[in-house]
Amino acid sequence: MESRKLYIETYGCQMNVVDSEVVAAILLQHNYQLTEEVNEADLVLINTCSIRENAEQRVRTRLRDFGKIKQQNSRVSVGIIGCMAERLKEQLLEEETMVDLVVGPDAYRDLPALLQEVESGQKGINTILSLEETYGDIRPVRMDRNNVTSFVAIMRGCDNHCAYCVVPGTRGRERSRDPETILRETRDLFDNGYREVTLLGQNVNSYQWENGKQNMTFEKLLEEVAGIDPRLRVRFATSHPKDLPDSLLEVVSRFPNLCRAIHLPVQSGSTSVLERMKRRYTREHYMERISAIKKYIPGASISTDLIAGFCGETEEEHQQTLSLMEWVGYDFAYMFKYSQRPDTFAALRYSDDVPERVKGERLTEIIELQMKLSLESKQRDVGQTFEVLVEGTSKKSENQLFGRTSQNKVVVFPKGSFSPGDYAHVRITGCTSATLIGIA
Ligand code: 5AD
Ligand code: SF4
């Protein structure tokens, strides 16, 4: 039988990137072959995100393009997978007539069967969430990667129920993946030349695997992954401030290949906003955790996520976010305007009452402050030497390479005799707020 061509486009978080690789692995076993050319495809899948309204808008716009492709070639099928599929279910089939297939994050094993239905002229849909599915046994097919860095999913779902967030609804209950499969996948990556993995989960600190006598915590898992080879760098994301224990920081401090970069989303610097967000920690608790990071892992970079204009946020509460940012001195931040999501606790219980204009102004203040903090963070590195893992050729110049420090800062430097996957010792000679510039 002639093989069919699959084109996948991925939106949203790193977990979605891995999910697309899992989907590719499943379909490659069912007579599909990947293509990077959408016009060549028999099956177009769009792996979607629902986190903010504009993420969904972007997908709806892109669907118009796929609709046109379908008009020209009626053999093409279009599927929506991921968080938007889970959130909107049948509604997507009704609203977007070019869509043939809707599959949620826990139903990817059902894709081959659903595609048979689509081939026989029906629509295919499965949005059942699972308590067990981790795709643990599936070896993701790595797509457009640099062959140096990769993600490894260690858990799925989320039990935190932050008031603003759709994720517990779209990804279901939290569950951890069998550590044996995590270690096997990571060893494989290393043997194939990869030199960095990021262990992924919505809340990695609550990783927990029990099987008879075996009890694996996140700390133990990290030790085992770090023990695979000292030349393999290991990162992890995301940690929740309410349960980032000293014992984890202590493990990081003991292994030089566990990266000196902690991503600890704070969302707001105000205890009252945090309470409304149902984050289950205070400003003071968060500050205490930052002090612990600085004590256990001197020189670690600290990054965060911030939301501007959450329900009921006053000017004073917003100022608390700015003052916390200054106090921590974040090296990097992802910054967003609050976007009300249907069926979340906040949508059901609070009023989205910060005017759009004020949200925008507050976000701008947050971004401007972070630009200053990011620049200061880079300036502190000038004159120092860092071990840089080379990832590829710089976009701006063929004669320059780029890579990252353990602190996750991007460094650009002259090529010399280095190649992707090498470690180079680079002396930092200059910087912008986004990039370090150096010589090896
Ligand atoms: N509006 C804006 N930002 C959000 N995030 C999650 N939900 C929302 C929302 N409704 C942000 C948080 C989270 C990151 C992944 O996205 O900062 O940490
Ligand atoms: Fe990832 Fe959340 Fe977007 Fe789903 S909604 S793709 S979990 S960021």
Side-chain angles (χ1 to χ4, degrees):
M1 207 168 64
E2 201 191 328
S3 76
R4 315 205 66 204
K5 293 215 167 100
L6 162 67
Y7 171 87
I8 308 190
E9 209 164 276
T10 306
Y11 293 79
C13 62
Q14 297 163 344
M15 195 61 99
N16 260 18
V17 173
V18 173
D19 278 4
S20 288
E21 296 175 340
V22 165
V23 165
I26 292 170
L27 291 178
L28 257 53
Q29 302 219 321
H30 285 82
N31 206 31
Y32 277 86
Q33 160 190 336
L34 280 167
T35 175
E36 286 177 13
E37 230 346 286
V38 64
N39 291 308
E40 252 179 44
D42 302 295
L43 172 62
V44 175
L45 292 179
I46 175 158
N47 194 355
T48 58
C49 173
S50 292
I51 198 104
R52 283 168 290 275
E53 198 185 340
N54 58 14
E56 292 201 357
Q57 275 319 327
R58 216 173 312 142
V59 168
R60 301 256 190 192
T61 308
R62 189 66 175 128
L63 279 175
R64 305 275 90 77
D65 299 334
F66 297 153
K68 283 191 202 120
I69 290 174
K70 243 183 107 156
Q71 272 171 4
Q72 284 155 16
N73 178 358
S74 58
R75 278 192 44 225
V76 179
S77 309
V78 175
I80 300 192
I81 63 174
C83 289
M84 235 176 122
E86 191 61 48
R87 194 177 84 70
L88 294 162
K89 304 187 170 64
E90 287 85 4
Q91 199 185 322
L92 270 178
L93 292 176
E94 287 155 22
E95 290 171 359
E96 306 287 355
T97 48
M98 78 293 273
V99 174
D100 304 290
L101 181 73
V102 172
V103 188
D106 284 348
Y108 297 146
R109 284 183 208 267
D110 199 21
L111 269 165
L114 291 165
L115 282 164
Q116 284 198 336
E117 286 179 30
V118 169
E119 266 183 41
S120 69
Q122 304 164 61
K123 303 255 170 180
I125 179 161
N126 186 343
T127 54
I128 297 172
L129 286 174
S130 156
L131 295 177
E132 288 102 30
E133 181 63 270
T134 61
Y135 302 111
D137 57 313
I138 294 177
R139 192 166 302 181
V141 173
R142 305 297 169 191
M143 291 189 285
D144 43 78
R145 288 293 175 75
N146 51 20
N147 289 312
V148 178
T149 64
S150 188
F151 304 120
V152 174
I154 64 163
M155 55 200 299
R156 300 180 70 82
C158 183
D159 284 351
N160 279 328
H161 296 284
C162 301
Y164 48 79
C165 190
V166 287
V167 175
T170 60
R171 287 192 168 267
R173 297 302 301 268
E174 193 171 286
R175 67 217 95 120
S176 298
R177 177 177 171 192
D178 182 341
E180 285 305 319
T181 68
I182 297 170
L183 289 164
R184 198 188 316 138
E185 185 178 325
T186 310
R187 269 191 221 106
D188 255 28
L189 286 166
F190 183 75
D191 291 342
N192 284 305
Y194 283 83
R195 289 296 173 263
E196 183 182 299
V197 293
T198 304
L199 305 180
L200 287 182
Q202 248 72 37
N203 180 10
V204 289
N205 310 124
S206 52
Y207 177 90
Q208 180 73 31
W209 173 263
E210 274 173 24
N211 188 3
K213 285 194 298 285
Q214 197 189 17
N215 174 18
M216 185 71 95
T217 59
F218 183 57
E219 284 91 328
K220 271 202 242 168
L221 179 70
L222 256 191
E223 288 189 20
E224 298 227 357
V225 175
I228 288 175
D229 196 292
R231 288 166 296 169
L232 178 71
R233 275 187 179 175
V234 183
R235 305 184 185 278
F236 53 88
T238 299
S239 304
H240 195 298
K242 79 174 157 50
D243 41 29
L244 178 82
D246 284 358
S247 53
L248 172 58
L249 300 175
E250 191 271 326
V251 171
V252 176
S253 75
R254 257 192 297 123
F255 285 84
N257 57 330
L258 288 178
C259 288
R260 270 52 194 149
I262 303 287
H263 185 61
L264 200 63
V266 68
Q267 315 298 359
S268 165
S270 146
T271 295
S272 43
V273 173
L274 290 170
E275 201 177 320
R276 290 203 291 285
M277 288 178 164
K278 289 158 76 71
R279 290 287 288 174
R280 294 183 282 165
Y281 55 85
T282 59
R283 174 188 175 96
E284 289 68 33
H285 171 83
Y286 185 88
M287 290 168 84
E288 190 276 321
R289 287 293 81 204
I290 295 293
S291 302
I293 295 170
K294 291 183 174 171
K295 179 177 121 199
Y296 280 95
I297 323 168
S301 68
I302 300 174
S303 55
T304 201
D305 295 351
L306 293 158
I307 298 177
F310 185 64
C311 308
E313 187 186 71
T314 63
E315 179 57 29
E316 213 179 331
E317 287 169 334
H318 164 63
Q319 290 299 328
Q320 293 234 297
T321 295
L322 297 174
S323 74
L324 184 76
M325 289 172 71
E326 286 267 17
W327 183 85
V328 177
Y330 287 115
D331 298 276
F332 181 81
Y334 295 101
M335 299 157 281
F336 312 102
K337 248 196 268 185
Y338 172 60
S339 163
Q340 177 173 276
R341 307 308 291 127
D343 299 322
T344 54
F345 184 89
L348 300 172
R349 300 289 182 85
Y350 309 141
S351 139
D352 181 12
D353 54 1
V354 177
E356 199 52 35
R357 180 185 53 81
V358 176
K359 280 185 192 172
E361 284 166 8
R362 289 181 186 168
L363 181 63
T364 304
E365 283 181 42
I366 287 173
I367 291 172
E368 278 170 3
L369 173 55
Q370 187 53 48
M371 290 267 284
K372 178 186 90 120
L373 296 175
S374 294
L375 180 62
E376 286 169 3
S377 151
K378 306 277 186 316
Q379 283 168 340
R380 285 193 293 272
D381 294 342
V382 175
Q384 297 189 54
T385 298
F386 291 89
E387 188 181 63
V388 173
L389 173 59
V390 181
E391 289 182 27
T393 306
S394 155
K395 280 193 203 89
K396 290 201 185 125
S397 157
E398 286 249 326
N399 305 321
Q400 305 265 320
L401 293 171
F402 81 95
R404 278 167 207 273
T405 64
S406 174
Q407 288 77 4
N408 213 14
K409 294 182 195 172
V410 174
V411 186
V412 173
F413 62 100
K415 202 170 221 157
S417 54
F418 294 105
S419 329
D422 289 346
Y423 285 102
H425 283 90
V426 179
R427 193 165 59 83
I428 306 305
T429 53
C431 68
T432 67
S433 71
T435 315
L436 296 172
I437 296 148
I439 38 174

